[in-house]
Amino acid sequence: MELLWGVYVGVGIALILSVTLPRLKWTYWPLKALMGLLYLAMVQSKGLDLFEGSIFLFYYLGDLVLGIPTMDLRTKLQWGIVLFGLGHLLVIYALSQDVDVVMIGLLMGILFFSFLGTVRYWIRTFNLEGLMGPVNAYVLVVMTMGVLGYMVISTKGILTLGITLFILSDGFLALWHFKRKPWVGFKVMNILLYYTAVVLMIVSI
């Protein structure tokens, strides 16, 4: 297992270099595919059941789609929303067994409408009107997962941290794709936060 962790960190560093050094750009998608296979190997090593493993399989597929160099941005985002959303829904189902559903609904209503205006501004500014519905739905799913994560923080603190980092990674991914002149640091932060989040979720589920 220690070797697997070491390889994971090493490939992660190489992935960051692939987005910061132009001559290594061609290695980005293969390295993303390898990173996903490595965290799926961690899932297998931990002995997670089919339900739990499916969460990370959806994440892996979503991550692969977002990295395909020949696919247009709109299509990548649509598929990414679907695949990551399915993984998040499984997390939500698992966490919802331990919390008050009514409280979830109240908190989600507040969070969703708070973030809705920002999401609409981003989409309209960058001419992605066709993604309004899917992005709104994804925001709702992500915020639900975030609220549930904080409701179980006393017993599953590592999982809460993983969910928090995952949400932050989505924020940096949005900046990377939606800003007219994105800073490469946005992508670096997305990579660091996402792959750290996935590991924390694997070890804590």
Side-chain angles (χ1 to χ4, degrees):
M1 190 65 175
E2 289 79 8
L3 177 61
L4 182 58
W5 284 102
V7 174
Y8 189 77
V9 172
V11 176
I13 293 172
L15 183 60
I16 290 173
L17 292 176
S18 75
V19 300
T20 56
L21 300 177
R23 66 177 180 274
L24 297 179
K25 183 179 179 180
W26 66 273
T27 66
Y28 176 69
W29 193 82
L31 288 170
K32 279 178 73 73
L34 180 55
M35 285 293 284
L37 290 175
L38 288 171
Y39 70 62
L40 288 180
M42 294 179 190
V43 169
Q44 184 178 27
S45 297
K46 194 169 184 290
L48 299 183
D49 61 29
L50 180 61
F51 177 85
E52 295 165 336
S54 296
I55 295 170
F56 301 100
L57 179 59
F58 281 126
Y59 288 168
Y60 174 59
L61 294 175
D63 198 31
L64 277 185
V65 168
L66 289 178
I68 296 176
T70 56
M71 186 180 291
D72 66 275
L73 176 60
R74 187 186 300 272
T75 303
K76 286 196 291 188
L77 290 176
Q78 287 173 334
W79 280 104
I81 286 170
V82 170
L83 292 166
F84 278 109
L86 287 171
H88 294 339
L89 286 172
L90 293 180
V91 175
I92 289 169
Y93 176 79
L95 292 176
S96 66
Q97 308 304 304
D98 304 320
V99 297
D100 186 340
V101 176
V102 175
M103 182 61 69
I104 294 171
L106 291 173
L107 291 173
M108 282 314 308
I110 295 170
L111 284 170
F112 179 60
F113 287 107
S114 297
F115 281 88
L116 191 57
T118 301
V119 172
R120 286 178 181 274
Y121 171 77
W122 280 358
I123 293 175
R124 287 174 176 168
T125 300
F126 297 100
N127 194 29
L128 293 174
E129 289 287 353
L131 291 176
M132 181 69 75
V135 170
N136 287 344
Y138 183 75
V139 169
L140 179 59
V141 169
V142 169
M143 291 300 101
T144 302
M145 184 174 71
V147 169
L148 286 171
Y150 278 93
M151 292 179 76
V152 299
I153 190 171
S154 62
T155 56
K156 299 181 179 179
I158 295 178
L159 179 59
T160 301
L161 178 59
I163 290 173
T164 301
L165 295 183
F166 206 123
I167 294 172
L168 290 173
S169 77
D170 276 347
F172 281 106
L173 184 65
L175 289 171
W176 174 252
H177 285 306
F178 294 161
K179 291 280 286 186
R180 294 191 185 280
K181 295 181 179 180
W183 176 48
V184 69
F186 296 150
K187 188 60 180 174
V188 172
M189 289 303 299
N190 166 249
I191 291 171
L192 285 171
L193 292 171
Y194 170 70
Y195 289 107
T196 302
V198 169
V199 169
L200 290 175
M201 293 173 73
I202 290 172
V203 301
S204 59
I205 286 181

